[in-house]
Amino acid sequence: MRKPEQWDDLPNGPALQQAVADKLADWWPRVFGYHLLKLGPLSADLSSMASPVAHHFSLCSEPNASLIGDFCHLPLQNGVIDAVLMSLLLEFEADPYRILRETDRVLIAGGYLFIVGFNPLSPVFLGKLWPKYQDNLPWCGRFFMPSRVRDWLGLLGYQVVSDERLVYHPLIGEFNDGRFMQQTLASWLPSAGSLYLIVARKLESPLTPIRDKRKVLQPNWTTAPSAGRTGHLSEHTK
């Protein structure tokens, strides 16, 4: 399956990149922690510096990535990442649910997951109906219903905190064409945006059964100072 390696591989790519970056800019100040991971080359090209997270890095097959690896086998330990961004990634991978499971493995409880994808219930789906576009990016990929992605996240134990739409354009023709139609769709059919942004948080769950407090002896210890989680990442990220 063909995959976009940069935003310019997509029709109206720079406009798409700007629209996604503007939407994410509202979220970055709310994300805290030690490590923010960007999966895929398109995610790597999106700025996240508005987030106070200390360490921002990317993983993909491109030589300029912080890490080069497989999305289904992330070279990271369990529960060390505070936020993950995957932008237009699941549509072009053979096993998207496995990627979500692997992402879940490395996220901490309470961590953020940002997923940008193509919405099949939108003008962008027109390209899948025309033979001349079907083999081109992005229409050669698989478009998943946002509801299906939310179901996957629910199975993994995530709470969806936001499901937004953006870019009311079929991506066929110039982006500035049909401004009135785009504004009309945004006003009257807000769910028909060609892109979706789902923001989810990994729910915390107890690892051991809750016992009767009267039967639990309190240990006599003092806590050691925390050193953070910076030591858990792969050596390649240093």
Side-chain angles (χ1 to χ4, degrees), residues 7-222:
W7 287 95
D8 284 338
D9 292 339
L10 298 170
N12 296 288
L16 290 180
Q17 180 180 8
Q18 188 62 54
V20 173
D22 290 346
K23 186 66 71 172
L24 288 170
D26 297 333
W27 285 97
W28 292 138
R30 313 180 201 183
V31 180
F32 298 88
Y34 295 95
H35 306 293
L36 189 155
L37 171 62
K38 304 176 186 180
L39 290 179
L42 302 189
S43 299
D45 285 341
L46 293 169
S47 174
S48 56
M49 298 312 296
S51 168
V53 172
H55 180 210
H56 302 228
F57 68 106
S58 59
L59 185 148
C60 60
S61 59
E62 294 299 299
N64 60 343
S66 307
L67 285 175
I68 297 177
D70 184 348
F71 302 131
C72 293
H73 301 89
L74 298 177
L76 302 168
Q77 293 190 11
N78 297 345
V80 294
I81 302 298
D82 298 274
V84 173
L85 167 64
M86 52 178 71
S87 184
L88 306 181
L89 176 71
L90 300 180
E91 289 84 353
F92 305 99
E93 297 295 327
D95 196 343
Y97 185 65
R98 184 174 179 182
I99 293 174
L100 289 176
R101 291 203 316 268
E102 181 67 357
T103 301
D104 174 68
R105 180 184 66 80
V106 303
L107 264 176
I108 66 166
Y112 278 92
L113 175 56
F114 297 87
I115 303 176
V116 179
F118 287 106
N119 177 20
L121 296 181
S122 73
V124 75
F125 193 76
L126 291 174
K128 281 188 168 292
L129 303 178
W130 293 3
K132 67 177 292 186
Y133 293 108
Q134 290 172 357
D135 294 330
N136 297 337
L137 290 169
W139 300 284
C140 60
R142 295 178 294 168
F143 293 1
F144 300 107
M145 294 284 291
S147 58
R148 185 176 183 184
V149 178
R150 294 197 305 267
D151 287 343
W152 286 340
L153 294 172
L155 291 174
L156 292 170
Y158 282 73
Q159 178 187 20
V160 174
V161 297
S162 179
D163 183 1
E164 305 177 71
R165 303 290 182 271
L166 56 154
V167 183
Y168 295 80
H169 190 278
L171 306 186
I172 298 171
E174 294 298 323
F175 196 77
N176 290 326
D177 293 345
R179 280 289 184 181
F180 176 76
M181 182 60 69
Q182 294 180 54
Q183 294 171 358
T184 301
L185 278 175
S187 298
W188 292 94
L189 291 173
S191 63
S194 293
L195 297 181
Y196 64 80
L197 168 63
I198 293 177
V199 183
R201 296 195 75 177
K202 183 175 180 178
L203 297 177
E204 296 189 39
S205 58
L207 299 180
T208 56
I210 299 176
R211 295 178 290 177
D212 190 335
K213 292 182 180 180
R214 293 172 298 178
K215 298 179 181 180
V216 179
L217 295 177
Q218 297 298 324
N220 184 19
W221 63 37
T222 59

